[in-house]
Amino acid sequence: MSSRGKREREARAAPRGPGGGGSSSSSSSSSSRGSSRSRREGEAERSRGRREAERDRGRREAAEPGLALPLPVDPARIKREPGTGSWGGSATPAGPVRVKREREPDGDSDPEPEPTVRYGRFDPEDQRSRHCPYLDTINKSVLDFDFEKLCSISLSHINVYACLVCGKYFQGRGLKSHAYIHSVQFSHHVFLNLHTLKFYCLPDNYEIIDSSLEDITYVLKPTFTAQQITNLDKQAKLSRAYDGTTYLPGIVGLNNIKANDYANAVLQALSNVPPLRNYFLEEENYKSIQRPPGDIMFLLVQRFGELMRKLWNPRNFKAHVSPHEMLQAVVLCSKKNFQITKQGDGVDFLSWFLNALHSALGGTKKKKKTIVTDVFQGSMRIFTKKLPHPDLPAEEKAQLLQNTEYQEMMVESTFMYLTLDLPTAPLYKDEKEQLIIPQVPLFSILAKFNGATEKEYKTYKENFLKRFQLTKLPPYLIFCIKRFTKNNFFVEKNPTIVNFPITNVDLREYLSEEVQAAHTNTTYDLIANIVHDGKPSEGSYRIHVLHHGTGKWYELQDLQVTDILPQMITLSEAYIQIWKRREEDETNQQGA
């Protein structure tokens, strides 16, 4: 064997050590190349992910109006990676070039939330709020905010929205709410929250901000400034409703739901008493009154204030108002003594309503006063003398009259209104087979309060003689003419006509001498006259009202409003009258 072949066999047969040999160096170099390749691939994938994220963000910002474009990259902020001094971070010259920005978020971290306002511009939702495409679908002619704020499906009063396209009420605006379903089913998109007075577009569910909607919120919740309230009695300007009809604010018809005209007449009369009206037109006057928990009587105050503001609203959509919520509060607070479906007595309702308002406003019988007592409350002295039984012998009567029990007693009392008694109506017809309708002057029935006229009052057991004398006259005096008498069988109406002047009724002679000096003005002018027509149980009510701005008289019966001559007012069967005391600097503006 040649020496060359021998050497090759020895080399092949030589042992391979763990630390040396050609094979070991070959495996180590291949492993280093593999790790370098995997590192480069990972870095390339991360940089590719960053570039894709930047492109997506650029496309998103370009597609959304109102968002600013990303700021250009400042070359001075690009850093060199530590390593071989090249711009790339890899020590290997063949590695890809990597560019790193300051504060660049990692691929695994959450993206920062986008600001809602950038560089003074609104976000996309605000842009939709200001440019809602459905505002032309609003139908103002069907909007009626006089009824109770209840969902028409669930009958809930919580979170109620009004559809401004059809006028119906629905609850909520979530995905499964009645308002949302209604918007999808009927393509009605504009809704108003009846509590917050905010407008929303459904089903997109964004708030609508537009100044053209302010007239709708004003109809729902009218507000009056102090200057507007002061000028109410000075203006004679007609207002025009949305349907084109004209009306005078305050001289507005009230809807008769079924048999509530007795309440309508009283509410319209009270709404034309300026101090009471001015108090309730400004909600701040009674908003802070504290009531016990569970007290429902304050609901009467809130509803009366809302009705007063609607009656005097110069920007109504229609020329009449429905007192639905007010009457529901009356039924609830009176425990169904006064109802919508049953005719009631105007005097009974007036008496209950004034006392209920007084107590709900925090007033008491003697000490604490309210606007109600400041306007209507006067005082009188009542002299009472007990009479012996008429069947007793004369001697026994004389002895009884000597007792202390039968002596005249005097009591100071307050009043909200004065009851005037009519003379008994004739029972028989005249020679022409017609009933005689008697007439009586107002001053004749006012003689009851002159302090000298005695009137007998009978009870089941005892009889009394009473006489009355006025000691204080209120700014606004209410007369209730007693036309109805009740017995065990039926209610009878007295048709006697009361002849009264419209102005210049002086009541000084009915005051006691010692208090006459304290009353500089005792002259009164009529401002409201409630009339009852027809039979006691089947009759109807209407009211004559003086508009202070024009000095004209108007007749209101439910929704009908007509002007009337003052001379015609005295020919009616007056039932309730409100008189205003004339002030020193006040001139007569009553017109004809």
Side-chain angles (χ1 to χ4, degrees), residues 290-295:
Q290 300 293 330
R291 298 298 299 167
D295 181 30

Side-chain angles (χ1 to χ4, degrees), residues 241-364:
Y242 181 75
D243 57 1
T245 57
T246 57
Y247 67 96
L248 275 172
I251 311 297
V252 179
L254 285 177
N255 189 19
N256 187 0
I257 298 173
K258 188 173 182 182
N260 57 279
D261 54 344
Y262 71 98
N264 288 355
V266 172
L267 293 174
Q268 283 170 325
L270 294 179
S271 69
N272 281 275
V273 177
L276 193 70
R277 174 202 65 196
N278 297 348
Y279 180 86
F280 282 96
L281 283 181
E282 209 166 351
E283 192 176 2
E284 298 298 325
N285 290 330
Y286 58 86
K287 192 175 182 180
S288 59
I289 294 178
Q290 300 293 330
R291 298 298 299 167
D295 181 30
I296 62 172
M297 296 303 292
F298 195 69
L299 183 66
L300 206 65
V301 176
Q302 294 173 325
R303 294 290 182 257
F304 185 59
E306 292 171 4
L307 178 65
M308 198 77 74
R309 290 188 287 274
K310 289 178 181 178
L311 286 173
W312 287 90
N313 183 8
R315 294 157 57 182
N316 262 333
F317 284 169
K318 55 189 185 308
H320 64 273
V321 174
S322 178
H324 193 271
E325 288 186 293
M326 177 75 233
L327 294 175
Q328 281 191 321
V330 167
V331 174
L332 180 65
C333 296
S334 68
K335 299 179 181 178
K336 298 186 178 180
N337 288 330
F338 302 100
Q339 298 187 12
I340 301 174
T341 58
K342 185 180 178 182
Q343 184 71 278
D345 184 78
V347 174
D348 293 343
F349 175 71
L350 174 67
S351 176
W352 172 83
F353 188 71
L354 290 180
N355 286 286
L357 272 186
H358 173 64
S359 62
L361 290 170
T364 57

Side-chain angles (χ1 to χ4, degrees), residues 37 64-65 161 165 172 182 194 361 366 375 436 469 510 516:
R37 187 182 303 110
E64 296 178 352
Y161 290 77
V165 182
H182 176 77
L194 298 177
L361 290 170
K366 293 184 179 180
V375 173
I436 301 172
Q469 189 170 36
Y510 305 103
Q516 286 184 3

